[in-house]
Each structure stands twice: as structure tokens, then as C-alpha cells.
């Protein structure tokens, strides 16, 4: 069984050596452990540091693409490299490397497809009240939007089986944590949460500038993902609220019509009718979105099959592995073949530019 530990990095040259040194070299039930660094357009030589630390695989984005896209790219690459289990950790050495054994144990034992590390944030001294609130918010959002009950939903310290990695399709550009767990719930994957330890704080978070900005973007991501997987329920609820508001002025019109003067208040009738019409149209939009959602599910099933076919082709040597550097438009076709063959001859697939 092969484990690949992926580390998305953005300007982590100072903390990356400690992060790599803290990673386990062997784990019970795991035959091979390899490290993968995804350098998200760093300007401080993060890729050179990773190379000096002996990292097995290095992916480099030519520009900063964001954590979610880097995470998704790492999953695809790890699958192509033959990973049976993929562990995601941070490049700032936040997580205790020895606890990776705890993360992979439920997958090795066959109990879970996804395992989330619970940082037990209430016990972490350097976590501010605002950050604890963010953690509770993320966990609440996941419970209500997906039915996945984990105590630390926004934790990036997680393990994913090969089967689950084929099914996960990250579309957000901000953060993958909540979106991934919503997919876990909607696709009925087996999951567990295990307590993990954290190291001393090395730097402030770069994922968000303020608490309110993080809440806004996380909430938007959760709502978007819920609407994607439950469109009929979402639009039906919106339509029902609009229709209910529309009923109120119509009741006002009927009251005055039957019990007061029997005339006037036409504006209430017009407003109420318009809102009821909008509510009905919103419900119809929900029906259309639900049909589109069924087609999306078929597309995801097709995508999963394509991924599996690609992995079989890679295993047989009939397909080249993905390039280690994000290509510019057209470059992949102009010189990708020669560059990929050159990368295959080396022990580490990395950026040479």
C-alpha cells in the first residue's frame, strides 16, 4: 500500500524543512511513503528547498492559483503516481507529523474513505476566540448542509483513500475543506474524525485577511455546493419564502374587499400576484436545476471512469504522467512531450524552468 503525503505551499521556504523533517518515514500497514510538494507560485524558492529536502515529487504552479486548485491538482497527480492513500498537510508545520499514522489507520483498516484530523481547537492556546468561532462555524455549516458530523470541519489535515479521491471534484477557488465534506455527505462516503496534535504556531494564516472575509467566502462556498447537490430543495425553499411574502398583501386585499369597503387596495393585489408568480417561477427553476443536477451526476460518474481509465493506462505505460509544472496555453502541445520524457528519466518530477 502506497501513501503520498501532499503539502500545498505558498512561500513556505522557512517552515518547509521542519514540516518535511516531521513527516513519518514508515507506518504500520503502509509499504511505501512518498512526499509531494505543490508549490503554488512561490517567490521565495520553496521548490528549491523542497528539492534540497529530498522530496519525491514537486509540482509547481507558475502563478498563484489558490489553495483549492493546488489541492485538486495534488490529488490528480498523486493518483497518477499510484497513491492508495493521500494525506494532506500544511507547509507551515502546523500539524504534528507523527499523527499521520492515526489519520491513515481507519483507511488501512477498511473502515473509512475519508479521515479528518480534529485539532481540538478549544485546547490550543494560540487559537484566538475568532479562530475558534470560525472552526465552529465551519463544522456547523457542514453538519447542516451535508449531514457529515465532524468536530473540526475546516481542518486541512486529512487522509483520503484512492477510491474517494476518484470521486472528489473540487470546483471552488477558495478552500476545499467544506466543499469536500459536502461531497463526502452527498456521495455517502464512509468518514471518521480522529484527534490530532498541533505544533507551535509559526506564522499567521494566509488564507484570509479577516474573520468576516473568511466567514463570507466559506458561507458562500457552502451555499453554492449545497445548491449544486440539492437544487430542488434550495429553490423550493426560496420560492416558498417569496410566495409566502406574496400571500400577505393578497390577504390584505381580501380583508378590505370583503369586510371594509369592497373596493381599493388594488396595489396589494398587484404586488401579491407578482410575488406569487415569482415564487412559482423560482420553483420551476428548481425543477430545471434538479434535472441539470442529474446530468451533472452522470458527468461526475463519467469523469470518475475517465480517471480510472487514465490510471490503468499510466500503469501499463500507455500514457505519459501529468507534467510537473502548470503549462502555459499552447506550450503543453508544443514541447510537452519532450519535457515529460525528460522528467520521466529523473527520479523527481519537478520544474526545470
Amino acid at each position: 500500500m502506497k501513501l503520498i503525503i501532499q503539502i500545498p505551499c505558498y512561500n513556505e521556504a522557512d517552515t518547509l524543512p521542519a514540516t518535511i523533517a516531521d513527516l513519518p518515514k514508515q507506518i504500520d500497514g503502509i509499504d511505501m511513503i512518498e512526499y509531494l510538494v505543490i508549490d503554488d507560485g512561490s517567490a521565495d524558492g520553496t521548490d528549491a528547498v523542497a528539492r534540497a529536502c529530498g522530496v519525491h515529487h514537486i509540482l509547481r504552479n507558475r502563478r498563484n492559483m489558490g489553495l483549492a486548485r493546488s489541492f485538486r491538482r495534488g490529488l490528480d497527480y498523486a493518483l497518477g503516481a499510484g497513491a492508495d492513500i493521500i494525506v494532506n498537510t500544511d507547509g507551515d508545520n502546523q500539524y504534528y507529523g507523527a499523527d499521520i499514522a492515526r489519520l491513515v489507520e481507519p483507511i488501512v483498516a477498511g473502515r473509512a474513505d475519508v479521515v479528518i484530523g480534529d485539532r481540538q481547537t478549544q485546547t490550543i492556546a494560540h487559537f484566538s476566540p475568532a479562530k475558534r468561532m470560525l472552526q465552529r462555524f465551519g463544522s456547523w455549516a457542514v453538519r447542516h448542509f451535508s449531514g457529515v458530523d465532524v468536530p473540526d470541519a475546516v481542518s486541512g489535515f486529512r487522509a483520503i483513500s484512492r477510491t474517494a479521491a476518484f470521486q472528489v471534484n473540487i470546483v471552488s477557488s477558495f478552500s476545499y475543506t467544506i466543499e469536500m465534506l459536502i461531497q463526502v455527505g452527498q456521495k455517502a462516503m464512509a468518514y471518521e474524525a480522529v484527534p490530532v496534535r498541533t505544533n507551535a504556531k509559526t506564522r499567521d494564516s494566509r488564507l484570509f485577511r479577516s474573520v468576516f472575509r473568511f466567514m463570507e467566502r466559506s458561507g458562500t462556498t457552502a451555499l453554492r455546493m449545497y445548491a449544486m447537490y440539492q437544487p430542488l430543495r434550495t429553490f423550493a425553499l426560496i420560492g416558498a419564502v417569496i410566495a409566502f411574502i406574496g400571500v400577505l398583501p393578497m390577504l390584505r386585499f381580501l380583508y378590505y374587499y370583503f369586510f371594509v369597503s369592497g373596493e381599493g387596495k388594488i396595489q396589494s393585489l398587484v404586488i401579491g400576484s407578482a410575488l406569487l408568480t415569482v415564487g412559482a417561477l423560482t420553483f420551476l427553476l428548481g425543477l430545471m436545476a434538479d434535472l441539470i443536477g442529474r446530468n451533472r451526476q452522470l458527468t461526475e460518474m463519467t469523469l470518475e471512469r475517465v480517471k480510472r481509465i487514465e490510471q490503468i493506462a499510466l500503469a501499463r505505460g500507455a500514457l505519459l504522467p501529468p507534467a510537473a509544472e502548470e503549462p502555459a496555453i499552447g506550450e503543453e502541445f508544443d514541447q510537452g512531450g519532450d519535457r515529460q520524457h525528460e522528467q520521466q528519466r529523473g527520479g523527481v518530477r519537478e520544474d526545470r524552468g
Side-chain angles (χ1 to χ4, degrees):
M1 185 170 286
K2 183 176 183 178
L3 166 66
I4 290 185
I5 304 172
Q6 71 171 34
I7 314 170
C9 296
Y10 179 60
N11 293 333
E12 303 287 7
D14 293 335
T15 58
L16 187 58
T19 301
I20 296 173
D22 198 35
L23 298 178
K25 304 298 187 295
Q26 61 182 29
I27 297 174
D28 291 340
I30 302 296
D31 303 312
M32 183 184 302
I33 300 177
E34 295 180 355
Y35 309 147
L36 164 63
V37 166
I38 305 112
D39 179 8
D40 190 19
S42 299
D44 65 346
T46 293
D47 59 331
V49 172
R51 191 178 302 116
C53 291
V55 170
H56 305 83
H57 308 274
I58 301 173
L59 288 175
R60 185 174 185 273
N61 301 332
R62 291 184 178 178
R63 59 193 181 282
N64 183 255
M65 298 172 63
L67 179 59
R69 292 190 181 102
S70 296
F71 173 81
R72 178 181 62 201
R73 191 166 180 233
L75 285 188
D76 291 340
Y77 185 93
L79 287 172
D84 297 297
I85 303 175
I86 304 165
V87 165
N88 187 81
T89 187
D90 287 350
D92 61 356
N93 200 32
Q94 175 187 174
Y95 303 110
Y96 198 75
D99 286 341
I100 290 177
R102 297 184 183 181
L103 282 179
V104 301
E105 190 276 330
I107 297 178
V108 173
R111 299 195 311 269
D113 293 312
V114 175
V115 182
I116 309 300
D118 174 15
R119 294 168 293 176
Q120 306 169 84
T121 54
Q122 299 304 319
T123 65
I124 300 177
H126 66 263
F127 265 41
S128 65
K131 198 164 185 177
R132 292 190 179 114
M133 180 182 67
L134 291 177
Q135 185 270 340
R136 289 194 297 270
F137 168 77
S139 300
W140 173 87
V142 168
R143 281 195 301 271
H144 284 75
F145 286 114
S146 72
V148 176
D149 189 4
V150 292
D152 192 3
V154 294
S155 169
F157 198 33
R158 53 187 62 192
I160 310 160
S161 71
R162 184 177 182 85
T163 300
F166 276 122
Q167 299 180 60
V168 170
N169 298 297
I170 302 298
V171 298
S172 169
S173 60
F174 175 58
S175 176
Y176 61 89
T177 53
I178 294 177
E179 177 183 355
M180 177 180 163
L181 288 185
I182 289 176
Q183 293 188 31
V184 167
Q186 295 297 328
K187 297 179 181 180
M189 300 182 198
Y191 67 91
E192 283 191 21
V194 298
V196 295
R197 295 163 287 181
T198 57
N199 294 315
K201 181 179 179 180
T202 57
R203 60 165 175 78
D204 292 330
S205 174
R206 294 173 182 159
L207 187 59
F208 57 93
R209 297 179 180 177
S210 68
V211 172
F212 295 105
R213 179 62 171 165
F214 181 84
M215 292 180 66
E216 174 198 350
R217 300 198 66 176
S218 296
T220 301
T221 298
L223 288 171
R224 184 184 298 119
M225 290 302 103
Y226 184 78
M228 178 183 293
Y229 286 95
Q230 296 289 346
L232 182 58
R233 184 179 299 177
T234 302
F235 282 93
L237 178 60
I238 296 173
V241 171
I242 296 174
F244 175 76
I245 296 174
V247 167
L248 298 179
M250 294 196 72
L251 290 176
R252 178 174 182 268
F253 167 80
L254 293 174
Y255 172 79
Y256 277 93
Y257 184 83
F258 287 109
F259 300 105
V260 183
S261 63
E263 59 183 18
K265 311 302 179 184
I266 299 299
Q267 67 274 18
S268 296
L269 180 62
V270 172
I271 293 173
S273 300
L275 289 174
L276 284 175
T277 302
V278 172
L281 290 175
T282 302
F283 179 76
L284 292 177
L285 286 175
L287 290 176
M288 294 178 61
D290 188 63
L291 294 176
I292 294 173
R294 301 301 175 183
N295 286 328
R296 176 193 51 74
Q297 292 177 13
L298 294 175
T299 302
E300 288 187 342
M301 292 169 61
T302 302
L303 179 59
E304 181 181 347
R305 287 178 176 270
V306 169
K307 288 180 181 180
R308 292 183 182 276
I309 292 171
E310 285 181 346
Q311 303 315 311
I312 294 173
L314 280 171
R316 294 176 177 174
L319 185 68
L320 290 173
E325 183 173 359
E326 182 71 15
I329 296 176
E331 182 177 349
E332 183 177 11
F333 301 97
D334 295 337
Q335 53 186 327
D338 293 338
R339 184 178 61 200
Q340 288 181 7
H341 280 299
E342 179 182 354
Q343 290 166 345
Q344 278 185 291
R345 289 195 292 269
V348 179
R349 300 187 183 96
E350 59 190 11
D351 172 33
R352 295 296 184 185

